[in-house]
Amino acid sequence: MGAPPGYRPSAWVHLLHQLPRADFQLRPVPSGFAPQEQEYQQALLLVAALAGLGLGLSLIFIAVYLIRFCCCRPPEPPGAKSPPPGGGCVTWSCIAALLVGCAGIGIGFYGNSETSDGVSQLSSALLHANHTLSAIDHLVSETVERLGEAVRTELTTLEEVLAPRTELVAAARGARREAEAVARQLQELAFWRGVPLSPLQVAEDVSFVEEYRWLAYVLLLLLELLVCLFTLLGLAKQSKWLVIVMTVMSLLVLVLSWGSMGLEAATAVGLSDFCSSPDTYILNLTQEETGLSSDILSYYFLCNQAVSNPFQQRLTLSQRALANIHSQLQGLEREAVPQFPSAQKPLLSLEETLNATEGNFHQLVALLHCRGLHKDYGAALRGLCEDALEGLLFLLLFSLLSAGALATALCSLPRAWALFPPSDDYDDTDDDDPFNPQESKRFVQWQSSI
């Protein structure tokens, strides 16, 4: 099948599409996009479950590490004031992990923006396609209504005026039949009329879901940014309560990061399967939802020389009928007006209607050509399969960096706050305050020296 203009599956699509898939019984599953099949759904759920497995292993590792740290560390000698060896390395490793997390947050913001841009391009293409289909429907309705009005009024009046000349009445009736034939042919060109699937509704639904997805990721990114910044602040000020609160928050963000990673991985794999060969699935789905013939859908989705225009015959017949009407009206104007001057007014009105109909007909020919709708189809695929997929991969990288950084921080933070001096609770107390324990101790020493 011919690819839409400007769209070719990217290297990431090919790479993700080649990944092996299996259902819950670990049986191989074909990589073709088939979301309605249970085996394929299980394969995507298994991809998402890998993130749950990673979360479980991370929590087990953190728990084992902290239990070993709390229960197996050697007792400190009484009166020891110097920090145990390796304390500075623990603190700096925690800071480095948090800085990596901050870098991942920047990647996440970029990926969120790219995904939003891709979905916006998809919505714009759907809206433009809806505008084209609405314009076809409007032009057909306007032209048919105008032809019907001309048949009911001008041609009826012309037949009454030309009643004494039977051959002229026959010519007028011939023009009537041709006009009615054109109206019938044109009505069949509004192929999207009455179709339950609306591109406008699809675009609105996609934009609605994308708005909340974008907002959810922004909140997640801001939450992790605040956790990283306040954790760094707690380490800098050696504030034990702040570090403890941020440790709990880091555990929450760690769970959210692994959850988002599973969702992103399953979505990226499914999207790569769709983007590797989208035409077949889109054709079958659209035919199922709209009930349109495969000839019409293939013409617009494929738009190549192997698929002929399904409206070509109707357009040719309409064009010939319009040409016949035009020649019949010119013949009536030459022969009838000299004998029946009152026939000139309906003839002029019919000429105006015919000219307007021909103008609308040429617009319909341009709109019905597959080039416009196929271009929208290609733009939608580029937005979904290039920008949106690239953004998903950056979000996946963000989740991976975030999970690794937070897991490292959760292992390092308890060891870091154990190194804080015991005067942590009085860091913010004025040195000249007599109620400060350190100042009171110095005051007693001064009295004893006197």
Side-chain angles (χ1 to χ4, degrees):
M1 290 189 175
Y7 171 73
R8 292 291 184 276
S10 64
W12 286 112
V13 170
H14 289 298
L15 178 62
L16 293 173
H17 185 63
Q18 297 300 322
L19 293 177
R21 292 155 179 74
D23 58 10
F24 290 163
Q25 286 76 35
L26 300 182
R27 294 174 300 190
V29 174
S31 57
F33 187 67
Q36 71 281 358
E37 296 183 3
Q38 184 177 5
E39 292 80 5
Y40 188 79
Q41 296 173 2
Q42 292 179 0
L44 293 184
L45 289 175
L46 195 60
V47 173
L50 293 177
L53 178 62
L55 173 61
L57 293 176
S58 297
L59 294 178
I60 292 173
F61 174 78
I62 293 171
V64 170
Y65 181 86
L66 293 181
I67 290 173
R68 181 179 177 276
F69 166 70
C70 294
C71 301
C72 301
R73 61 177 178 174
E76 297 181 3
K81 296 183 179 180
S82 60
C89 181
V90 170
T91 303
W92 281 109
S93 65
C94 182
I95 293 175
L98 293 174
L99 291 177
V100 170
C102 291
I105 293 170
I107 295 174
F109 274 110
Y110 176 77
N112 197 35
S113 176
E114 280 292 300
T115 304
S116 181
D117 290 343
V119 176
S120 297
Q121 188 174 350
L122 169 64
S123 300
S124 299
L126 288 171
L127 291 175
H128 193 271
N130 182 77
H131 175 74
T132 301
L133 296 172
S134 300
I136 293 173
D137 188 28
H138 174 72
L139 280 174
V140 169
S141 300
E142 180 185 353
T143 306
V144 170
E145 182 180 356
R146 182 171 293 177
L147 285 173
E149 183 68 21
V151 168
R152 289 190 301 269
T153 57
E154 282 86 0
L155 280 174
T156 302
T157 302
L158 190 61
E159 291 176 8
E160 293 175 354
V161 172
L162 302 178
R165 295 282 302 274
T166 55
E167 69 277 10
L168 296 180
V169 172
R173 289 177 179 175
R176 174 194 290 270
R177 287 192 298 270
E178 295 287 355
E180 292 174 348
V182 171
R184 287 193 301 269
Q185 295 292 340
L186 291 179
Q187 283 179 339
E188 299 297 327
L189 298 179
F191 63 95
W192 203 264
R193 183 181 298 172
V195 171
L197 181 63
S198 171
L200 176 61
Q201 185 62 44
V202 175
E204 291 177 350
D205 293 342
V206 168
S207 299
F208 177 79
V209 173
E210 170 59 20
E211 181 179 355
Y212 283 96
R213 185 212 63 81
W214 179 85
L215 180 61
Y217 267 99
V218 167
L219 293 178
L220 176 61
L221 290 164
L222 290 178
L223 176 62
E224 183 173 350
L225 180 62
L226 290 176
V227 168
C228 291
L229 293 179
F230 276 103
T231 303
L232 291 172
L233 179 63
L235 292 173
K237 295 184 68 65
Q238 295 189 344
S239 176
K240 187 173 292 186
W241 69 268
L242 184 57
V243 171
I244 292 174
V245 171
M246 289 302 107
T247 302
V248 176
M249 294 299 298
S250 297
L251 182 61
L252 172 63
V253 177
L254 176 67
V255 175
L256 294 176
S257 296
W258 278 107
S260 66
M261 188 188 304
L263 183 62
E264 293 149 7
T267 305
V269 170
L271 190 57
S272 69
D273 293 340
F274 167 78
C275 295
S276 63
S277 181
D279 295 337
T280 303
Y281 178 77
I282 290 293
L283 275 171
N284 295 334
L285 179 64
T286 308
Q287 187 174 10
E288 179 182 348
E289 293 292 333
T290 61
L292 294 174
S293 67
S294 58
D295 294 338
I296 295 176
L297 296 178
S298 299
Y299 174 67
Y300 285 109
F301 283 119
L302 305 182
C303 194
N304 53 33
Q305 296 179 353
V307 182
S308 60
N309 187 347
F311 306 108
Q312 187 60 49
Q313 184 178 3
R314 298 184 186 278
L315 292 173
T316 303
L317 293 176
S318 299
Q319 189 173 15
R320 290 175 182 174
L322 289 174
N324 292 336
I325 295 173
H326 195 72
S327 62
Q328 288 170 352
L329 292 181
Q330 287 181 343
L332 287 174
E333 188 175 2
R334 287 193 306 267
E335 297 182 13
V337 171
Q339 301 180 26
F340 306 96
S342 58
Q344 185 173 7
K345 184 177 180 181
L347 282 173
L348 291 177
S349 180
L350 285 171
E351 286 286 348
E352 293 178 0
T353 302
L354 183 61
N355 292 334
T357 301
E358 288 179 341
N360 290 346
F361 178 79
H362 291 305
Q363 294 183 46
L364 275 173
V365 171
L367 290 173
L368 286 170
H369 196 275
C370 65
R371 184 170 47 249
L373 288 175
H374 190 66
K375 184 178 180 181
D376 295 331
Y377 174 52
L381 285 182
R382 287 193 301 274
L384 190 62
C385 299
E386 294 178 2
D387 293 341
L389 182 59
E390 180 185 351
L392 272 177
L393 294 176
F394 276 108
L395 288 175
L396 186 61
L397 178 60
F398 147 71
S399 299
L400 185 61
L401 291 176
S402 173
L406 291 174
T408 304
L410 284 171
C411 291
S412 304
L413 283 175
R415 296 189 62 184
W417 84 52
L419 302 175
F420 292 170
S423 60
D424 173 67
D425 296 334
Y426 306 99
D427 282 347
D428 295 332
T429 309
D430 190 359
D431 291 339
D432 296 332
D433 188 355
F435 295 101
N436 187 338
Q438 296 179 359
E439 183 64 25
S440 300
K441 184 177 180 180
R442 287 196 295 268
F443 180 73
V444 171
Q445 292 175 353
W446 177 74
Q447 278 189 333
S448 61
S449 65
I450 296 177

